[in-house]
């Protein structure tokens, strides 16, 4: 079972959108896939066809087969749940005191035969990311092609070294550029800087910006299903194929 964590230093980079589309792409390739929403925003469900009024989630019910939702798109899904205030603070304290909780929960799901588990985490350093990195096989650092994102990469890899490297399941991590403008000098300059930095492992595919990503979300569909011939969909398909090659080698 391969566990892939999507992480970012800041919000608004399209990390959750990528998580949902990657999970969908893996399922379409015949892999039994589970997506786990570790972000208190509870937004991954919007990409996987879950009723927005459904407040269920693993925070209150535990991460087990009983909490898994079957997406209309074929992906198994564990929503975070609608949790706020004191209940959320108590859960975060629990995670801080039990750093191996997620690793144990994911291991307990292995009899269900998942080939891939996709973990979507909140932006920035936090207890959810720490739990994910301690469980993951691969981390994908999602960034924009801008100077601010470029500056956050070293700190992100420090977190990976601290929390993922001791994890026996861990293999490698990569930076993925998302929402790359088709035109725009600065974006291409930043991409070239990332590509030329030998200390930054850059994924060999850039996901381009496309308004149809938002339209697909409005229809609660993966963009690869909503607009299969769009450049962004082709980028994601390439990314998924590359991930399979990396994790099945």
């Amino acid at each position: 079972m391969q566990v892939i964590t999507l992480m970012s230093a800041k919000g608004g980079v399209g990390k959750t959108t990528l998580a949902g589309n990657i999970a969908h792409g893996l399922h379409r390739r015949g892999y039994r896939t589970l997506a786990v929403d570790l972000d208190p925003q509870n937004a991954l469900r919007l990409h996987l066809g879950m009723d927005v009024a459904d407040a269920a989630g693993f925070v209150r019910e535990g991460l087990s087969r009983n909490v898994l939702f079957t997406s209309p798109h074929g992906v198994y899904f564990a929503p975070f749940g609608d949790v706020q205030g004191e209940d959320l603070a108590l859960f975060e304290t629990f995670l801080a005191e039990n750093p191996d909780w997620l690793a144990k929960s994911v291991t307990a799901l292995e009899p269900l035969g998942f080939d891939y588990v996709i973990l979507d985490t909140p932006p920035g350093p936090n207890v959810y990311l720490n739990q994910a990195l301690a469980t993951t096989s691969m981390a994908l650092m999602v960034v924009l092609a801008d100077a601010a994102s470029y500056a956050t990469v070293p700190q992100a890899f420090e977190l990976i070294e601290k929390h993922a490297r001791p994890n026996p399941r861990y293999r490698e991590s990569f930076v993925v550029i998302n929402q790359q403008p088709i035109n725009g000098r600065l974006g291409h300059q930043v991409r070239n800087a990332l590509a030329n930095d030998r200390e930054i492992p850059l994924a060999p595919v850039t996901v381009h910006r496309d308004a149809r990503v938002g339209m697909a979300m409005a229809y609660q569909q993966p963009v690869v299903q909503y607009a299969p011939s769009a450049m962004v969909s082709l980028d994601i398909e390439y990314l998924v194929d590359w991930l399979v090659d990396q994790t099945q080698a």
Side-chain angles (χ1 to χ4, degrees):
M1 181 170 64
Q2 300 293 326
V3 182
I4 301 175
T5 295
L6 280 84
M7 58 183 289
S8 65
K10 61 178 185 176
V13 302
K15 169 185 51 60
T16 298
T17 300
L18 275 185
N21 278 276
I22 288 171
H24 175 68
L26 290 167
H27 165 73
R28 289 178 55 245
R29 285 158 177 77
Y31 296 104
R32 189 173 171 87
T33 304
L34 169 65
V36 180
D37 191 351
L38 286 173
D39 191 334
Q41 290 188 12
N42 200 29
L44 186 56
R45 59 185 179 157
L46 303 179
H47 298 273
L48 294 174
M50 184 176 178
D51 186 348
V52 296
D54 193 335
F58 66 80
V59 173
R60 290 193 175 94
E61 302 173 51
L63 185 54
S64 67
R65 69 175 67 202
N66 296 327
V67 77
L68 302 187
F69 165 78
T70 306
S71 165
H73 311 299
V75 177
Y76 291 87
F77 173 49
F80 187 91
D82 186 5
V83 183
Q84 301 176 21
E86 184 179 353
D87 289 342
L88 182 60
L90 287 172
F91 182 63
E92 291 178 352
T93 299
F94 169 81
L95 293 181
E97 295 174 348
N98 298 272
D100 60 349
W101 171 81
L102 181 63
K104 289 181 177 179
S105 298
V106 169
T107 298
L109 293 174
E110 287 186 350
L112 298 182
F114 292 114
D115 300 299
Y116 286 93
V117 177
I118 306 299
L119 304 177
D120 184 36
T121 63
N126 50 74
V127 291
Y128 304 100
L129 178 59
N130 296 348
Q131 291 269 341
L133 292 177
T135 307
T136 203
S137 310
M138 175 189 289
L140 297 180
M141 172 69 180
V142 183
V143 302
L144 301 180
D146 60 22
S149 289
Y150 187 26
T152 65
V153 172
Q155 291 81 8
F157 276 90
E158 288 178 7
L159 289 173
I160 290 170
E161 285 296 314
K162 179 179 180 180
H163 297 286
R165 187 66 67 183
N167 161 22
R169 192 194 300 267
Y170 176 72
R171 299 175 61 177
E172 54 195 341
S173 297
F174 295 90
V175 172
V176 177
I177 299 175
N178 193 31
Q179 299 180 6
Q180 169 83 35
I182 297 176
N183 300 311
R185 184 176 179 181
L186 177 60
H188 289 284
Q189 287 177 337
V190 173
R191 185 189 183 284
N192 289 337
L194 286 167
N196 292 328
D197 190 331
R198 295 186 178 182
E199 296 186 0
I200 297 177
L202 185 65
V205 56
T206 297
V207 181
H208 288 83
R209 181 182 299 163
D210 194 312
R212 283 168 287 193
V213 172
M215 297 176 188
M217 182 176 174
Y219 285 97
Q220 292 194 319
Q221 293 181 6
V223 69
V224 294
Q225 178 176 319
Y226 177 80
S229 61
M231 180 181 289
V232 64
S233 298
L234 299 178
D235 293 338
I236 291 171
E237 296 282 26
Y238 179 18
L239 178 62
V240 173
D241 285 336
W242 173 77
L243 285 172
V244 170
D245 289 341
Q246 289 295 125
T247 54
Q248 298 298 321

